[in-house]
């Protein structure tokens, strides 16, 4: 792994395991306010969990941006051989111990829908229409996302608000994979 520390991987592993443990014991729609009122989590534990989630989001952004310039290859899943859009998502998320399915259409069903104004780094952006997702990327903040572009022929950063064109499909929605509970702040596609 280039430009990525073992300690960041350990933090990501710990956060992922904590997240899985919480999902097993938490109500289906655990929201921050409910967690505190019901005593499910102590305020300090919730704060630590939020810090770890931020570290995991940072790791995803670093991993994704480290792939900039890698070639676009249909069916590609590695930096050496190149990526297609879903191969890039799978590569990045697998390196933080989250194993998404292979295709953009399947990945577009991960996590929970999140409204555009609530996007956080690490969220997935889906493109096409709601019935047929044809492209996917990773939001990195500041209105930008990383994706393997067949048009550019490589992994690039683009603006979320880019204009659709003949070869550029419109934004269909966003998905929050890391903590499903905080995506319920708002729903959307």
């Amino acid at each position: 792994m280039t430009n990525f520390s073992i300690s960041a991987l350990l933090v990501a592993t710990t956060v992922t395991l904590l997240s899985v443990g919480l999902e097993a014991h938490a109500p289906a729609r655990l929201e921050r306010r409910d967690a505190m009122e019901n005593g499910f989590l102590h305020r300090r534990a919730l704060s630590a969990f939020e810090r770890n989630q931020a570290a995991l989001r940072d790791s995803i952004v670093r991993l994704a941006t480290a792939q900039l310039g890698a070639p676009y290859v249909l069916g590609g899943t590695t930096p050496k051989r190149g990526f297609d859009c879903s191969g890039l998502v799978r590569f990045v998320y697998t390196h933080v111990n989250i194993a998404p399915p292979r295709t953009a259409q399947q990945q577009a069903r991960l996590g929970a829908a999140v409204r555009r104004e609530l996007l956080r780094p690490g969220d997935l952006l889906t493109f096409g229409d709601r019935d047929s997702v044809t492209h996917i990327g990773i939001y990195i903040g500041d209105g930008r996302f990383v994706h393997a572009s067949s048009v550019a022929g490589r992994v690039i950063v683009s603006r979320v608000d880019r204009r659709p064109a003949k070869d550029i499909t419109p934004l269909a929605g966003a998905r929050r994979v890391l903590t499903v509970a905080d995506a319920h702040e708002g729903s959307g596609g």
Side-chain angles (χ1 to χ4, degrees):
M1 280 181 267
T2 59
N3 299 328
F4 193 74
S5 70
I6 295 297
S7 62
L9 251 181
L10 291 174
V11 168
T13 303
T14 303
V15 170
T16 301
L17 292 174
L18 178 58
S19 178
V20 169
L22 286 175
E23 288 177 12
H25 301 294
R29 273 189 61 130
L30 175 65
E31 294 182 22
R32 182 184 175 127
R33 183 183 71 255
D34 294 338
M36 295 213 199
E37 289 174 1
N38 295 330
F40 181 75
L41 294 174
H42 186 270
R43 182 184 303 267
R44 193 174 355 173
L46 185 58
S47 177
F49 180 73
E50 288 171 343
R51 282 192 306 275
N52 286 334
Q53 284 293 303
L56 184 56
R57 290 178 184 288
D58 289 344
S59 295
I60 289 170
V61 169
R62 281 194 306 272
L63 279 165
T65 56
Q67 308 316 311
L68 291 174
Y72 175 88
V73 174
L74 183 63
T77 59
T78 67
K80 271 190 173 179
R81 287 193 269 178
F83 294 106
D84 65 10
C85 63
S86 58
L88 174 65
V89 168
R90 186 175 174 120
F91 176 84
V92 169
Y93 272 82
T94 298
H95 277 82
V96 294
N97 294 322
I98 299 170
R102 177 61 184 96
T103 69
Q105 185 76 34
Q106 294 167 328
Q107 291 172 358
R109 294 189 293 268
L110 289 174
V114 62
R115 291 192 322 240
R116 187 174 175 167
E117 63 270 15
L118 297 174
L119 285 173
R120 292 184 183 174
D123 288 344
L124 297 178
L125 299 179
T126 61
F127 298 85
D129 61 48
R130 291 178 191 255
D131 296 327
S132 179
V133 171
T134 58
H135 190 62
I136 195 158
I138 301 170
Y139 185 72
I140 61 170
D142 298 322
R144 300 173 308 138
F145 69 104
V146 171
H147 61 119
S149 169
S150 60
V151 174
R154 65 187 186 286
V155 176
I156 62 172
V157 173
S158 295
R159 302 247 357 126
V160 174
D161 58 3
R162 65 191 180 152
R163 291 185 189 191
K166 179 181 178 249
D167 294 327
I168 299 176
T169 55
L171 181 67
R175 306 295 292 183
R176 179 146 309 143
V177 176
L178 296 181
T179 56
V180 174
D182 64 4
H184 291 297
E185 296 169 0
S187 60

